[in-house]
């Protein structure tokens, strides 16, 4: 009985592994033609612009963090508001072009406490 149950469990695990690949989403199946290259150039241009915006925002966030670390008064709320102001246009542009931007939290020591600040990173463009 134990052997039968172990074989049954092994078969179920194998079925779960093999069927998960069948559920994977496939890429877009649009027509291939002369218009595709123009769209790809536009997407590459937009992606490069987004990457520039992300890099600029990350530099600005670094400056804000350094400023907050240098000042003796508690300015964590100010920092978080400024970071939100810096990242808002980047998220809006990414949403408009169909890209995904992610915040990867980094821990900084500011005014006697650890604070999570979120530099940006481009994930993909759809």
């Amino acid at each position: 009985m134990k052997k039968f149950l172990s074989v049954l469990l092994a078969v179920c695990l194998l079925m779960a592994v093999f069927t998960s690949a069948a559920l994977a989403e496939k890429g877009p199946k649009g027509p291939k033609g002369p218009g595709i290259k123009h769209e790809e150039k536009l997407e590459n241009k937009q992606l490069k612009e987004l990457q520039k915006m992300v890099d600029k925002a990350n530099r600005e966030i670094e400056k804000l963090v350094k400023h907050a670390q240098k000042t003796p008064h508690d300015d964590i709320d100010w920092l978080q508001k400024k970071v939100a102001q810096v990242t808002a246009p980047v998220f809006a542009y990414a949403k408009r072009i169909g890209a995904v931007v992610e915040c990867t939290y980094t821990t900084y020591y500011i005014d006697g406490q650890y604070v999570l600040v979120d530099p940006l990173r481009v994930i993909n463009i759809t």
Side-chain angles (χ1 to χ4, degrees):
M1 186 65 174
K2 285 184 181 181
K3 190 173 183 177
F4 174 73
L5 287 176
S6 62
V7 169
L8 183 63
L9 182 61
V11 169
C12 288
L13 287 173
L14 286 174
M15 293 296 290
V17 169
F18 289 122
T19 58
S20 65
L23 297 175
E25 184 177 338
K26 295 183 180 180
K29 295 182 179 180
K32 301 205 184 247
I36 298 297
K37 291 183 181 180
H38 175 68
E39 289 175 9
E40 287 177 2
K41 281 184 183 178
L42 186 62
E43 287 180 0
N44 285 336
K45 185 178 179 183
Q46 289 173 336
L47 187 58
K48 286 179 184 179
E49 179 65 27
L50 178 62
Q51 189 62 51
K52 286 179 187 177
M53 290 176 74
V54 166
D55 292 340
K56 182 179 177 186
N58 285 339
R59 285 191 303 272
E60 184 67 27
I61 290 170
E62 286 288 327
K63 288 178 188 176
L64 292 170
V65 167
K66 286 180 183 179
H67 175 74
Q69 288 174 329
K70 289 180 182 178
T71 58
H73 57 280
D74 185 18
D75 51 3
I76 294 172
D77 290 334
W78 169 85
L79 173 67
Q80 290 179 340
K81 287 177 187 175
K82 285 293 199 179
V83 168
Q85 288 175 355
V86 169
T87 58
V90 178
F91 282 118
Y93 182 73
K95 184 178 180 182
R96 190 175 59 154
I97 66 171
V100 178
V101 176
E102 179 183 70
C103 294
T104 53
Y105 288 97
T106 304
T107 305
Y108 293 98
Y109 189 72
I110 302 171
D111 298 332
Q113 58 185 324
Y114 292 100
V115 180
L116 292 175
V117 180
D118 50 353
L120 303 173
R121 165 172 86 102
V122 176
I123 299 297
N124 69 349
I125 186 164
T126 55

